[in-house]
Protein backbone atom coordinates (compact mmCIF):
# COMPACT_ATOMS: atom_id res chain seq x y z
CA UNK A 1 0.00 0.00 0.00
CA UNK A 2 1.41 3.39 -0.98
CA UNK A 3 -1.18 6.13 -0.52
CA UNK A 4 -0.65 9.81 0.26
CA UNK A 5 -1.85 10.82 3.72
CA UNK A 6 -1.82 13.98 5.84
CA UNK A 7 -1.94 13.73 9.61
CA UNK A 8 -1.82 16.08 12.58
CA UNK A 9 -0.66 14.96 15.97
CA UNK A 10 1.89 15.21 18.77
CA UNK A 11 5.46 14.03 18.50
CA UNK A 12 5.66 11.15 20.99
CA UNK A 13 9.39 10.30 20.79
CA UNK A 14 12.50 12.47 20.47
CA UNK A 15 13.45 12.75 16.77
CA UNK A 16 16.22 10.30 15.93
CA UNK A 17 18.81 11.18 13.26
CA UNK A 18 20.91 8.58 11.47
CA UNK A 19 23.01 8.40 8.31
CA UNK A 20 22.96 5.45 5.91
CA UNK A 21 26.22 3.98 4.55
CA UNK A 22 25.42 5.83 1.29
CA UNK A 23 25.37 9.13 3.21
CA UNK A 24 21.59 9.71 3.20
CA UNK A 25 20.39 11.47 6.35
CA UNK A 26 17.17 10.09 7.87
CA UNK A 27 15.27 11.55 10.82
CA UNK A 28 12.32 9.63 12.24
CA UNK A 29 9.90 10.07 15.12
CA UNK A 30 6.57 8.69 16.32
CA UNK A 31 3.40 10.76 16.11
CA UNK A 32 0.23 10.14 18.13
CA UNK A 33 -2.82 11.34 16.21
CA UNK A 34 -6.24 11.51 17.87
CA UNK A 35 -9.30 12.78 16.08
CA UNK A 36 -11.61 14.95 18.18
CA UNK A 37 -15.35 15.08 17.73
CA UNK A 38 -18.21 16.95 19.28
CA UNK A 39 -20.41 14.79 21.52
CA UNK A 40 -23.96 16.14 21.64
CA UNK A 41 -24.83 14.05 24.71
CA UNK A 42 -22.10 15.55 26.87
CA UNK A 43 -22.10 18.92 25.11
CA UNK A 44 -18.31 18.89 24.67
CA UNK A 45 -15.40 17.67 22.62
CA UNK A 46 -14.06 14.16 23.16
CA UNK A 47 -10.98 12.37 21.86
CA UNK A 48 -11.43 9.42 19.55
CA UNK A 49 -9.04 6.51 19.13
CA UNK A 50 -5.33 7.33 18.93
CA UNK A 51 -3.48 6.24 15.81
CA UNK A 52 0.30 5.89 15.95
CA UNK A 53 2.56 6.63 13.00
CA UNK A 54 6.30 6.47 12.44
CA UNK A 55 7.23 9.52 10.35
CA UNK A 56 10.49 9.32 8.39
CA UNK A 57 12.14 12.27 6.67
CA UNK A 58 15.08 12.15 4.27
CA UNK A 59 18.04 14.31 3.20
CA UNK A 60 17.61 18.09 3.73
CA UNK A 61 14.11 17.60 5.15
CA UNK A 62 15.63 15.19 7.69
CA UNK A 63 18.26 17.73 8.74
CA UNK A 64 15.63 20.45 9.16
CA UNK A 65 13.22 18.16 11.04
CA UNK A 66 15.96 17.09 13.45
CA UNK A 67 16.86 20.72 14.20
CA UNK A 68 13.23 21.92 14.41
CA UNK A 69 11.13 19.28 16.20
CA UNK A 70 10.99 18.12 19.80
CA UNK A 71 8.95 15.59 21.73
CA UNK A 72 5.49 16.94 22.64
CA UNK A 73 5.20 19.44 19.78
CA UNK A 74 2.14 19.46 17.54
CA UNK A 75 2.97 18.78 13.86
CA UNK A 76 1.40 18.25 10.46
CA UNK A 77 2.95 15.60 8.21
CA UNK A 78 2.11 14.57 4.67
CA UNK A 79 3.63 11.78 2.65
CA UNK A 80 3.33 8.22 1.47
CA UNK A 81 1.63 5.78 3.83
CA UNK A 82 3.02 2.27 4.14
CA UNK A 83 1.49 -0.43 6.31
CA UNK A 84 4.09 -3.01 7.34
CA UNK A 85 3.42 -6.35 8.93
CA UNK A 86 5.73 -7.41 11.76
CA UNK A 87 6.30 -10.56 13.77
CA UNK A 88 8.69 -10.71 16.74
CA UNK A 89 8.12 -14.38 17.47
CA UNK A 90 5.55 -13.89 20.24
CA UNK A 91 3.38 -11.16 18.72
CA UNK A 92 2.26 -10.13 15.26
CA UNK A 93 0.92 -6.81 14.10
CA UNK A 94 0.99 -3.93 11.66
CA UNK A 95 2.76 -0.59 11.85
CA UNK A 96 1.85 2.56 9.91
CA UNK A 97 4.81 4.44 8.47
CA UNK A 98 4.83 7.73 6.60
CA UNK A 99 7.68 8.65 4.25
CA UNK A 100 7.22 12.39 4.59
CA UNK A 101 7.20 14.80 1.68
CA UNK A 102 6.56 17.75 4.02
CA UNK A 103 6.35 18.33 7.77
CA UNK A 104 5.79 21.41 9.89
CA UNK A 105 4.48 22.74 13.16
CA UNK A 106 0.69 22.87 13.52
CA UNK A 107 0.13 26.60 14.02
CA UNK A 108 -3.35 26.08 15.44
CA UNK A 109 -1.60 25.13 18.70
CA UNK A 110 1.30 27.58 18.83
CA UNK A 111 3.74 29.77 16.94
CA UNK A 112 6.90 29.01 15.03
CA UNK A 113 9.79 30.97 13.51
CA UNK A 114 10.99 30.07 10.03
CA UNK A 115 14.66 30.37 9.09
CA UNK A 116 15.80 29.64 5.53
CA UNK A 117 18.63 27.23 4.94
CA UNK A 118 20.77 29.67 2.95
CA UNK A 119 23.08 26.91 1.69
CA UNK A 120 20.24 25.27 -0.27
CA UNK A 121 18.48 28.32 -1.72
CA UNK A 122 18.67 29.99 -5.13
CA UNK A 123 19.61 33.69 -5.22
CA UNK A 124 16.69 35.79 -3.92
CA UNK A 125 17.20 38.84 -6.17
CA UNK A 126 16.19 38.32 -9.84
CA UNK A 127 18.78 40.93 -10.89
CA UNK A 128 21.46 38.92 -9.11
CA UNK A 129 20.35 35.80 -10.98
CA UNK A 130 20.42 37.63 -14.34
CA UNK A 131 23.87 39.06 -13.60
CA UNK A 132 25.22 35.65 -12.62
CA UNK A 133 23.78 33.98 -15.72
CA UNK A 134 25.16 36.62 -18.10
CA UNK A 135 28.62 36.35 -16.53
CA UNK A 136 28.65 32.54 -16.45
CA UNK A 137 25.58 30.61 -17.62
CA UNK A 138 26.25 27.78 -15.16
CA UNK A 139 27.01 30.01 -12.17
CA UNK A 140 23.37 30.67 -11.23
CA UNK A 141 22.45 27.01 -11.33
CA UNK A 142 20.91 25.81 -8.11
CA UNK A 143 20.74 22.17 -7.11
CA UNK A 144 17.62 21.29 -5.08
CA UNK A 145 18.25 19.20 -1.96
CA UNK A 146 18.30 15.50 -2.79
CA UNK A 147 18.91 16.10 -6.51
CA UNK A 148 22.03 15.87 -8.63
CA UNK A 149 20.61 18.06 -11.44
CA UNK A 150 21.07 21.83 -11.22
CA UNK A 151 18.10 24.05 -12.04
CA UNK A 152 18.84 27.15 -14.13
CA UNK A 153 15.26 28.09 -15.10
CA UNK A 154 11.89 27.61 -13.48
CA UNK A 155 9.28 26.01 -15.72
CA UNK A 156 5.90 27.37 -14.65
CA UNK A 157 3.94 25.02 -16.92
CA UNK A 158 2.23 22.06 -15.28
CA UNK A 159 4.21 18.84 -15.33
CA UNK A 160 2.52 16.32 -17.58
CA UNK A 161 2.67 12.57 -17.83
CA UNK A 162 5.11 12.85 -20.76
CA UNK A 163 7.53 15.12 -18.90
CA UNK A 164 10.70 13.23 -17.98
CA UNK A 165 11.35 15.20 -14.76
CA UNK A 166 9.11 17.27 -12.50
CA UNK A 167 10.98 19.63 -10.14
CA UNK A 168 9.60 20.26 -6.66
CA UNK A 169 10.85 23.62 -5.43
CA UNK A 170 11.25 23.97 -1.62
CA UNK A 171 9.35 27.27 -1.43
Amino acid sequence: MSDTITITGNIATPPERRVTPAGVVITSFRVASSQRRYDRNSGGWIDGETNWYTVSTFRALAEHAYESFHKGERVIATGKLRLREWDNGTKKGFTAEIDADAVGHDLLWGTSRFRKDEANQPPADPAETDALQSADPGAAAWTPPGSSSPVTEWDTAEAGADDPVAVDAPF
Side-chain angles (χ1 to χ4, degrees), residues 79-165:
K80 306 216 179 9
L81 174 67
R82 290 184 294 148
L83 297 177
R84 293 192 188 257
E85 191 171 6
W86 56 269
D87 181 354
N88 67 7
T90 58
K91 289 184 178 180
K92 291 182 181 183
F94 285 91
T95 186
E97 299 177 356
I98 298 173
D99 290 341
D101 295 322
V103 292
H105 287 109
D106 184 348
L107 298 182
L108 179 63
W109 299 89
T111 62
S112 186
R113 297 250 182 229
F114 180 77
R115 184 180 66 236
K116 281 187 180 181
D117 180 356
E118 298 299 329
N120 289 319
Q121 297 298 319
D125 182 7
E128 180 183 339
T129 301
D130 292 343
L132 286 170
Q133 285 179 336
S134 63
D136 179 4
W142 172 70
T143 303
S147 173
S148 59
S149 303
V151 175
T152 55
E153 299 181 13
W154 298 107
D155 183 4
T156 57
E158 276 191 43
D162 297 332
D163 293 342
V165 176

Side-chain angles (χ1 to χ4, degrees), residues 5-7 21 35 78 96 143 145:
I5 185 173
T6 300
I7 64 162
Q35 298 301 317
T78 188
T143 303

Side-chain angles (χ1 to χ4, degrees), residues 9-14 29-32 52-53 70-73:
N10 293 319
I11 297 176
T13 60
F29 48 90
R30 298 275 290 161
V31 173
W52 294 88
Y53 300 91
H70 302 90
K71 182 178 176 180
E73 293 177 343

